[in-house]
Amino acid sequence: MIPANEPLTILHLYPREMNLYGDHGNVLALVRRCKWRDIPVRVLPLEMGDPFPDRVDLVFGGGGQDSGQARVEEDLLLRGDYLRALVEEGCPALMICGLYQLFGEGFVTESGQMIRGIGAFPARTLAGDRRLVGNITIETEAFGSVTGFENHSGRTFLTGGRPLGRVLSGSGNNGRDHTEGILYQNAIGTYLHGPLLPKNPKIADFLILTALQRRDPSLCALSPLDDSAEDAARANAAARPK
Ligand code: GLN
């Protein structure tokens, strides 16, 4: 297990600008699930202009208004090489909605403004004429059924990688091809807010286990937790009308 003086380090990108519909709860879920297992953990918030961190084991970023995305654009681009390298090296990452779009090639807003992305994900996004809003359930190969809440004007089209899942109800990436999100290396991009991880603990544990395995490749599983409350929350959310 990892020493207490080298805790598992979660880099939280732009918590001030990019945090919608409970996205911060994802970080709380990751921290809790580490603590319940006595895994030392710390969260490093990264705001615009902050220095680059020394060591990162897991990257998280939430959603934002178009205006918030435009505000972080320049700073994010400065960090493009660093973040792309982390993704390519297999560092686990979870990017929700606004930062999912900006981890791709970019996002053309409804007013025609291009907000450039860092191209860590093979995906591009164009705004549509109506927002895609509501509860969403998807079926994934890796994590079974996953439920969340979406609210975006962007339509995302993958040019590589694999979709995170197939839409059972809701809109997903673009409301057309029934795909939702992306799984690329060990990084996940998704439109699901809610927050996602408290009620989809398999995804949380995938991120934690992958982070630990990069330090100790002999580790093959995390100690199990009682997920009955989390599973009930997911079933409850999935049963709600769109
Ligand atoms: N502003 C983006 C869009 O509308 C992202 C929204 C979000 O993060 N919820 O598509």
Side-chain angles (χ1 to χ4, degrees):
M1 210 26 92
I2 62 177
N5 59 352
E6 279 181 39
L8 186 144
T9 300
I10 300 170
L11 180 68
H12 185 175
L13 297 175
Y14 313 116
R16 212 175 294 142
E17 298 286 354
M18 304 299 284
N19 178 22
L20 287 179
Y21 317 118
D23 287 340
H24 180 62
N26 292 309
V27 176
L28 298 179
L30 290 167
V31 167
R32 272 305 167 94
R33 296 183 75 80
C34 285
K35 289 197 168 160
W36 284 332
R37 295 174 166 119
D38 293 325
I39 299 167
V41 60
R42 70 174 171 156
V43 179
L44 279 185
L46 184 125
E47 299 291 358
M48 290 182 273
D50 282 352
F52 282 86
D54 289 344
R55 142 153 231 135
V56 168
D57 296 298
L58 200 164
V59 186
F60 173 74
Q65 316 285 356
D66 296 4
S67 54
Q69 291 173 285
R71 276 195 292 279
V72 302
E73 176 185 11
E74 286 298 334
D75 190 89
L76 183 66
L77 289 174
L78 289 176
R79 306 182 194 269
D81 287 347
Y82 173 83
L83 292 169
R84 271 192 307 275
L86 281 175
V87 169
E88 288 301 328
E89 284 161 15
C91 178
L94 175 63
M95 294 298 131
I96 311 285
C97 203
L99 278 173
Y100 165 34
Q101 296 171 345
L102 298 190
F103 262 53
E105 303 297 332
F107 170 39
V108 181
T109 69
E110 221 182 326
S111 61
Q113 180 189 8
M114 170 68 175
I115 306 176
R116 291 160 299 166
I118 60 171
F121 288 150
R124 55 195 158 75
T125 304
L126 280 167
D129 51 6
R130 85 190 158 81
R131 297 192 74 77
L132 304 175
V133 188
N135 295 322
I136 169 167
T137 298
I138 64 174
E139 187 59 33
T140 72
E141 250 174 59
F143 314 110
S145 112
V146 172
T147 293
F149 168 78
E150 63 183 328
N151 183 353
H152 52 109
S153 67
R155 271 64 167 163
T156 297
F157 296 90
L158 305 189
T159 53
R162 289 187 282 146
L164 173 64
R166 193 177 156 71
V167 176
L168 299 180
S169 70
S171 298
N173 276 338
N174 50 56
R176 273 199 254 154
D177 65 13
H178 305 289
T179 66
E180 204 299 306
I182 191 169
L183 191 53
Y184 177 75
Q185 308 288 25
N186 291 320
I188 294 171
T190 176
Y191 275 110
L192 274 58
H193 299 276
L196 176 71
L197 296 182
K199 58 186 179 303
N200 296 285
K202 284 187 184 154
I203 302 183
D205 283 358
F206 160 78
L207 296 167
I208 295 169
L209 179 62
T210 308
L212 294 174
Q213 282 172 332
R214 292 184 71 233
R215 293 192 184 203
D216 175 3
S218 69
L219 187 72
C220 44
L222 295 174
S223 51
L225 297 173
D226 173 7
D227 285 334
S228 46
E230 289 80 354
D231 293 342
R234 183 173 63 260
N236 188 294
R240 287 194 194 148
K242 186 170 165 17

